[in-house]
Amino acid sequence: GRISPSPLSEWHAFGIISDNKKEHTMLAGAVGDFTKSLVSKPPSHLWVRQVHFAGLPYLVNMYDRVLLVATGSGICVFLSFLMQPCSANVFLVWVAKGIEQNFGKEISETVNGYAKDKIIVHDTAVLGRPNVSRMSVDAAKEWMAQVVIVTSNPEGSRDVVTECKAAGIPAFGPIWDS
């Protein structure tokens, strides 16, 4: 979804989390100028772009067995797949720091409510920083994933995609900060 403080100004894209019933949520970390201003000076309203574009998650239903890899707030792009049915058999690796403190109880409970045999949650505040690329390749092999889809920062996405492809595993991820 894309939002803006004005219909004539810059639009900002964020993943939409849907329960497939009646609610849609956006998760935006206060890291850039725009998102910091949403927290420090909340606007009275935001414009929402009605025209949607095909994003990375559209790839999920093109496969039978998919490994989703998210770091930090990249989880938001994938939460809908944990909350509602999809045709793919989805497995998740999420690496983030201070999960409940930084993402809140609701996001933590949503992720922890997913099937335990289909998820790895690695809190770097507790477990230290892992090799996400190696973790992704190992998980993809273990779960016999047909594809890996990653949302991370540019370097993280590039590293996961490169290592997966070197191991013969198709992988997709944006190589820009999304």
Side-chain angles (χ1 to χ4, degrees):
R2 292 180 181 247
I3 58 175
S4 176
S6 164
L8 302 176
S9 68
E10 184 177 356
W11 290 85
H12 298 266
F14 299 96
I16 296 173
I17 306 160
S18 172
D19 67 1
N20 201 30
K21 295 173 186 141
K22 61 181 174 118
E23 292 188 11
H24 305 287
T25 304
M26 278 185 176
L27 177 66
V31 293
D33 291 342
F34 176 71
T35 51
K36 282 181 183 175
S37 74
L38 290 178
V39 174
S40 65
K41 295 180 241 160
S44 61
H45 67 279
L46 288 168
W47 294 86
V48 178
R49 184 174 282 174
Q50 296 295 312
V51 177
H52 300 287
F53 58 97
L56 198 61
Y58 281 85
L59 291 172
V60 172
N61 290 314
M62 294 173 63
Y63 297 90
D64 294 322
R65 298 180 67 82
V66 178
L67 174 65
L68 304 176
V69 178
T71 63
S73 60
I75 189 63
C76 138
V77 176
F78 298 139
L79 284 174
S80 293
F81 293 105
L82 306 183
M83 297 170 65
Q84 58 182 288
C86 79
S87 62
N89 194 359
V90 174
F91 306 90
L92 173 69
V93 171
W94 184 28
V95 177
K97 183 177 181 181
I99 291 173
E100 189 161 329
Q101 303 89 310
N102 290 319
F103 296 92
K105 189 174 182 177
E106 186 176 355
I107 300 293
S108 182
E109 287 176 354
T110 298
V111 171
N112 289 325
Y114 194 59
K116 300 294 181 222
D117 60 332
K118 293 183 171 187
I119 191 168
I120 295 172
V121 177
H122 187 102
D123 189 331
T124 62
V126 176
L127 303 168
R129 178 163 278 179
N131 180 330
V132 178
S133 300
R134 184 78 251 148
M135 182 184 271
S136 301
V137 169
D138 292 345
K141 287 179 179 178
E142 179 182 336
W143 289 327
M144 297 175 286
Q146 295 169 301
V147 67
V148 173
I149 301 174
V150 57
T151 59
S152 185
N153 59 37
E155 182 182 0
S157 290
R158 193 174 7 258
D159 290 349
V160 169
V161 168
T162 299
E163 191 146 341
C164 286
K165 287 185 176 182
I169 303 164
F172 301 95
I175 55 171
W176 57 89
D177 191 12
S178 55

